[in-house]
Amino acid sequence: MAGECITLENPSTYPGFHYNSNGFASGKYYRSGQRISTNRLVLLLLLLSSTLIVLYAYWDVMVLTAGTLPLARGTSSVDSMESGLGNESLAEKLYREVRVLCWVLTTPKYHKTRAIHIMRTWGKRCNKIYFMTSEPDDELPTVVLTKPDRYEVLWGKTKEAFVHIHEQMRNEADWFIKADDDTYLFLENLRYMLYPYSPEIPIYFGFNYKMVGTHQKNESYMSGGSGYVLSREALRIFAEGLNDTSKCRQEDDHAEDVEMGKCLFNLGVKAGDSRDEQLRNRFYPVAPFGALLSGNVGLDFWLYTYAYYNVRSCMDCLSEYPVAFHYVNSKQLYVYEYFNYQFQLSGRAPVVERLPKKIREEELVIPESDNPMS
């Protein structure tokens, strides 16, 4: 094998050199080294081939088993399956397609002790969020209302807030949810629940209560504590029909959620059923232990009495995809955040999630009350 030659000063330090009869090395060294025998060449090729085969096998196994690995919080195995989401997670798709404007009813004395903590927890997952109050705050996206900060005029504040949103912000979202400053919302689950419904359907959702006293058949209202969400069409109907004295209370007093229910019912907005497929509640007007622990209260507890749909307390009675809880203080907000957005359980199998089927308005069926208690 011909090659370029170089002369070495001390060729004895390099292996493979041959000395002549005078005891001197030939002084020539081929850059290509010694001639590689056929057997060694074959062994080298086999080694390289084996390495490539092992690397390919390792890559193949990793691809095949990727679906069995724990998924990051906020993603689902549906992302890489038939959903066609590509690199977009289910939560990201819903954030884009089911736009939710959140507004929180609060007062200046709770700006730093409640509202700011909502902004740092669940509020950051709203497409838009506003705090309805009586004074501005540089740390919060506030809307200053004209109504005074008194419990007796919550209905007046609620009317003013929804009218302002309709006039100024109705194009910012598809759904509009009202919450108190001691409420915790799971926005991902809310969007998932709303996905089948068009925002052009006049409907709203929350925790359904039976109307007390004289009322029309199937008339109900949603708990103000755990919040209620209006479609864009429901918001329009409410804002434009609010001044009809035969349908909506014009005074600012009385219970906000009751008057909201009466007004929407009279205006033809449907009170939707927010329960899951197993008829378990997703909105809950108390903290989780009230839904999970039987025997915590008696059967005469107000929740059991006034719930529109029959309520039970047990470990399987609350939906696996809850939307809202009430009576959550600012410290508990961060506990909810940790256990739902940071906590991981080793070995937990990923949940295969599929978007529910879209529901047309003519297909909408709202069950009647099944709570026999009065």
Side-chain angles (χ1 to χ4, degrees):
M1 177 169 134
E4 182 181 356
C5 297
I6 60 176
T7 301
L8 300 174
E9 293 181 356
N10 188 15
S12 62
T13 59
Y14 293 85
F17 276 81
H18 299 281
Y19 290 86
N20 57 26
S21 58
N22 297 323
F24 294 98
S26 63
K28 293 183 179 180
Y29 174 74
Y30 292 95
R31 287 177 187 253
S32 57
Q34 291 180 300
R35 296 178 183 268
I36 301 176
S37 67
T38 302
N39 290 339
R40 289 184 178 180
L41 182 60
V42 170
L43 288 175
L44 179 61
L45 291 175
L46 287 174
L47 179 60
L48 291 174
S49 301
S50 300
T51 303
L52 290 174
I53 292 172
V54 170
L55 290 174
Y56 178 81
Y58 175 78
W59 174 83
D60 195 42
V61 169
M62 291 300 293
V63 170
L64 290 174
T65 59
T68 65
L69 298 176
L71 295 174
R73 184 64 60 92
T75 62
S76 165
S77 56
V78 72
D79 300 346
S80 58
M81 295 175 64
E82 70 278 3
S83 61
L85 296 177
N87 293 327
E88 185 179 48
S89 72
L90 182 61
E92 291 168 339
K93 174 181 174 65
L94 291 173
Y95 181 90
R96 177 171 50 81
E97 295 190 6
V98 185
R99 300 178 302 159
V100 177
L101 182 150
C102 308
W103 70 267
V104 180
L105 196 58
T106 189
T107 65
K109 70 176 181 179
Y110 290 138
H111 284 185
K112 306 307 181 187
T113 59
R114 295 185 182 183
I116 194 65
H117 300 294
I118 287 177
M119 275 294 296
R120 294 169 180 169
T121 56
W122 64 262
K124 61 190 177 184
R125 299 182 187 94
C126 302
N127 293 82
K128 295 284 185 176
I129 184 169
Y130 299 99
F131 292 86
M132 303 295 176
T133 183
S134 60
E135 294 180 8
D137 192 309
D138 293 338
E139 292 188 273
L140 298 169
T142 53
V143 173
V144 177
L145 303 177
T146 63
K147 305 296 180 182
D149 289 319
R150 297 205 315 271
Y151 182 81
E152 294 77 15
V153 296
L154 285 182
W155 170 228
K157 294 180 71 173
T158 300
K159 289 187 292 183
E160 184 180 358
F162 270 122
V163 169
H164 177 84
I165 289 172
H166 176 260
E167 292 177 348
Q168 304 294 330
M169 309 164 183
R170 63 178 179 270
N171 295 323
E172 294 183 6
D174 308 303
W175 298 86
F176 305 82
I177 188 166
K178 175 263 175 188
D180 285 351
D181 55 14
D182 59 348
T183 303
Y184 190 97
L185 295 178
F186 296 96
L187 271 298
E188 297 88 348
N189 291 347
L190 175 62
R191 293 187 180 99
Y192 185 84
M193 184 197 79
L194 295 174
Y195 178 80
Y197 304 92
S198 167
E200 304 309 318
I201 297 176
I203 194 169
Y204 79 123
F205 296 95
F207 182 89
N208 303 60
Y209 281 128
K210 292 186 293 186
M211 196 65 73
V212 179
T214 303
H215 57 85
Q216 301 181 58
K217 183 181 179 181
N218 297 331
E219 188 176 1
S220 67
Y221 67 99
M222 304 297 175
S223 166
S226 53
Y228 46 84
V229 56
L230 278 65
S231 68
R232 185 170 51 238
E233 179 63 8
L235 175 68
R236 183 194 67 79
I237 292 174
F238 174 76
E240 295 179 358
L242 179 61
N243 294 326
D244 188 335
T245 58
S246 66
K247 296 180 179 179
C248 302
R249 185 180 181 87
Q250 301 304 297
E251 296 80 9
D252 292 339
D253 62 341
H254 211 248
E256 156 254 331
D257 47 7
V258 174
E259 293 304 327
M260 190 71 179
K262 289 180 179 179
C263 182
L264 290 175
F265 181 85
N266 292 334
L267 291 172
V269 175
K270 301 177 179 64
D273 180 7
S274 64
R275 297 174 299 171
D276 64 16
E277 294 179 352
Q278 286 75 46
L279 304 182
R280 299 172 299 184
N281 285 299
R282 286 188 271 208
F283 285 80
Y284 223 76
V286 295
F289 67 82
L292 301 175
L293 302 179
S294 61
N296 185 60
V297 293
L299 290 177
D300 58 346
F301 184 48
W302 58 268
L303 181 64
Y304 301 154
T305 301
Y306 297 117
Y308 190 77
Y309 298 113
N310 195 21
V311 178
R312 298 175 299 139
S313 294
C314 65
M315 286 300 295
D316 296 323
C317 294
L318 187 61
S319 176
E320 295 174 347
Y321 294 88
V323 169
F325 292 107
H326 191 208
Y327 301 123
V328 181
N329 63 43
S330 58
K331 294 180 180 178
Q332 293 170 337
L333 290 175
Y334 295 97
V335 177
Y336 283 46
E337 281 288 300
Y338 170 74
F339 279 106
N340 289 280
Y341 295 96
Q342 298 181 40
F343 173 82
Q344 297 291 335
L345 185 65
S346 297
R348 176 168 51 190
V351 177
V352 177
E353 295 174 327
R354 293 176 176 82
L355 290 173
K357 178 185 176 183
K358 291 285 188 177
I359 298 175
R360 294 180 297 178
E361 186 172 1
E362 58 270 22
E363 299 173 335
L364 186 61
V365 177
I366 299 176
E368 295 185 1
S369 173
D370 62 354
N371 188 357
M373 302 183 66
S374 60

